[in-house]
């Protein structure tokens, strides 16, 4: 399972407002929109090749009037190249019935149709259908593990860069050591106490390294926010870093905590469908909100890392 929801938009009259509405709709479903736009089918094979290798696209938006061709003429090729991808065929000049007739005349299967005034809403419904199919515990577990692993990599790179860039950051390594050693002592104490009880108690002891990494990342980004020039940041960059620090402050409960809960609950059949058993902290109805929180935090960490490593990129350019 992936946080990214890929959209191939075949449209020759690009609208920034429509794209913003589409991105908002994808975000509401709990995903990050990854949108590629092309004016016609000239480069469609290259996108199809990428899709075959890396599953880039979950939805294709196909306009009727394109640059130098019509969408209904292109539709059979799109369906052939993307046999399992949802397609929404839309137009600002033709109604639903005419669009369906055009697609039927080309013998293209599995294509949804919409007038342009309604196609963002219709695309949103199709996105919700995709999201609903992913609302299973196994997929969310995998997503949580992937998000935390990527966030770990992002923060490790940033921490190493900040540590090398500024003496105040380097001096904070003692705090990291203290966190690790304290956690080891606590874990050792917990395990020694569990030894006196039984096997289940032994199994319950653990240390969460990702939490300590985030704690250290917070320490160092606080230093950067107070010494922006040393990291190549102007006042605007520093202010943005502060905004992102605030936005990502709940990473521990919103991402790590939920990762831990998802790892320990079970999915069982209930009267109204699948339900989670083993914790009252989350339910399947929370999955879209969880994905939104995952997406918001990973985007924030990516942007923060880009800010604090500004000089690294300039030096290697």
């Amino acid at each position: 399972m992936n946080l990214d929801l890929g959209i191939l938009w075949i449209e020759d009259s690009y609208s920034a407002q429509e794209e913003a509405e589409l991105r908002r709709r994808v975000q509401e479903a709990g995903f990050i929109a990854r949108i590629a736009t092309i004016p016609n089918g000239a480069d469609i094979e290259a996108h199809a090749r990428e899709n075959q290798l890396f599953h880039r696209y979950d939805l294709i938006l196909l306009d009727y009037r394109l640059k130098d061709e019509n969408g209904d003429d292109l539709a059979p090729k799109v369906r052939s190249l993307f046999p399992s991808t949802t397609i929404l065929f839309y137009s600002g000049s033709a109604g639903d019935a005419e669009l369906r007739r055009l697609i039927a005349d080309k013998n293209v299967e599995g294509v949804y149709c919409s007038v342009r005034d309604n196609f963002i809403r219709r695309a949103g419904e199709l996105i919700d259908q995709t999201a609903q199919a992913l609302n299973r515990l196994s997929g969310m577990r995998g997503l949580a593990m992937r998000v935390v692993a990527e966030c770990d990599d992002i923060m490790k790179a940033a921490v190493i860069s900040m540590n090398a860039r500024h003496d105040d950051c380097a001096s904070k390594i003692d705090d990291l050591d203290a966190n690790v050693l304290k956690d080891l002592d606590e874990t050792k104490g917990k395990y020694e106490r569990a030894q006196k009880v039984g096997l289940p108690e032994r199994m319950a002891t653990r240390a969460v390294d990702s939490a300590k990494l985030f704690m250290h990342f917070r320490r160092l980004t606080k230093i950067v926010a107070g010494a922006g020039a040393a990291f190549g940041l102007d006042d605007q960059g520093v202010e943005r870093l502060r905004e992102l620090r605030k936005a990502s402050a709940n990473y521990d409960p919103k991402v790590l905590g939920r990762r831990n809960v998802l790892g320990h609950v079970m999915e069982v059949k209930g009267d109204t469908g699948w339900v989670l058993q083993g914790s009252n902290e989350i339910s399947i109805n929370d999955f879209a909100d969880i994905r939104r929180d995952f997406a918001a935090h990973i985007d924030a960490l990516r942007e923060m890392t880009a800010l604090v490593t500004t000089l690294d990129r300039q030096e290697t350019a």
Side-chain angles (χ1 to χ4, degrees):
M1 187 175 183
N2 201 325
L3 267 179
D4 295 341
L5 191 139
I7 299 174
L8 179 59
W9 196 349
I10 309 174
E11 164 70 74
D12 68 337
S13 299
Y14 167 78
S15 166
Q17 180 180 349
E18 286 179 337
E19 180 179 352
E21 291 174 358
L22 184 61
R23 288 186 181 277
R24 177 187 55 77
R25 194 62 186 78
V26 172
Q27 185 180 35
E28 288 175 354
F31 296 96
I32 300 172
R34 303 299 183 205
I35 302 174
T37 59
I38 54 177
N40 52 34
D43 297 323
I44 193 72
E45 288 88 353
H47 288 276
R49 175 63 174 164
E50 282 284 300
N51 190 62
Q52 291 169 1
L53 293 174
F54 307 112
H55 187 76
R56 296 291 193 198
Y57 303 113
D58 303 283
L59 175 64
I60 296 174
L61 303 177
L62 176 61
D63 189 20
Y64 177 30
R65 300 295 185 188
L66 300 171
K67 183 178 180 180
D68 301 325
E69 63 182 323
N70 286 336
D72 60 317
D73 294 326
L74 181 60
K77 186 174 185 179
V78 173
R79 174 48 75 215
S80 175
L81 291 172
F82 301 86
S84 60
T85 305
T86 300
I87 300 173
L88 176 60
F89 182 48
Y90 67 94
S91 173
S93 59
D96 289 348
E98 183 179 356
L99 292 172
R100 285 192 287 269
R101 180 186 61 77
L102 290 168
I103 288 297
D105 288 346
K106 301 294 183 180
N107 294 315
V108 184
E109 297 181 347
V111 176
Y112 297 90
C113 299
S114 173
V115 295
R116 189 177 195 110
D117 290 345
N118 194 43
F119 96 101
I120 294 295
R121 185 190 66 79
R122 191 70 181 97
E125 293 173 349
L126 298 176
I127 291 165
D128 286 341
Q129 290 177 19
T130 299
Q132 187 63 33
L134 297 173
N135 279 347
R136 295 296 304 275
L137 178 60
S138 58
M140 289 298 294
R141 275 179 177 160
L143 177 61
M145 294 296 291
R146 174 174 178 166
V147 167
V148 172
E150 183 172 346
C151 287
D152 281 354
D153 284 344
I154 291 169
M155 288 187 286
K156 285 175 183 176
V159 163
I160 290 171
S161 173
M162 289 183 284
N163 189 74
R165 183 67 61 185
H166 200 283
D167 288 343
D168 286 350
C169 290
S171 70
K172 292 296 182 181
I173 198 167
D174 291 337
D175 292 332
L176 176 61
D177 291 342
N179 290 147
V180 173
L181 294 175
K182 179 183 177 182
D183 188 73
L184 289 174
D185 287 341
E186 290 177 353
T187 300
K188 182 174 183 290
K190 289 178 182 178
Y191 196 84
E192 288 174 343
R193 290 191 294 273
Q195 284 180 300
K196 301 175 183 178
V197 184
L199 180 59
E201 289 73 21
R202 286 174 169 84
M203 300 291 286
T205 61
R206 67 180 190 276
V208 184
D209 292 338
S210 295
K212 291 191 287 295
L213 174 60
F214 177 67
M215 191 184 305
H216 198 57
F217 180 77
R218 294 281 295 175
R219 287 192 196 101
L220 301 196
T221 53
K222 183 178 180 179
I223 291 173
V224 177
F231 294 84
L233 298 182
D234 56 17
D235 290 345
Q236 184 177 359
V238 168
E239 183 59 31
R240 180 57 179 160
L241 179 61
R242 288 172 176 158
E243 291 173 359
L244 292 166
R245 289 188 81 253
K246 183 177 180 180
S248 61
N250 288 325
Y251 176 77
D252 200 332
K254 294 292 188 180
V255 179
L256 296 182
R258 284 166 167 176
R259 185 270 312 263
N260 294 338
V261 172
L262 287 166
H264 290 86
V265 295
M266 296 293 293
E267 187 179 60
V268 298
K269 291 181 178 179
D271 293 339
T272 59
W274 292 108
V275 296
L276 300 184
Q277 188 178 79
S279 173
N280 59 4
E281 294 181 51
I282 62 173
S283 71
I284 287 176
N285 292 333
D286 297 322
F287 281 179
D289 289 336
I290 291 172
R291 288 193 298 267
R292 276 194 291 272
D293 285 336
F294 283 176
H297 281 85
I298 201 168
D299 272 354
L301 293 179
R302 284 170 178 164
E303 188 175 350
M304 290 168 73
T305 295
L307 288 169
V308 302
T309 60
T310 297
L311 292 179
D312 291 359
R313 293 194 307 279
Q314 292 177 358
E315 291 168 0
T316 58

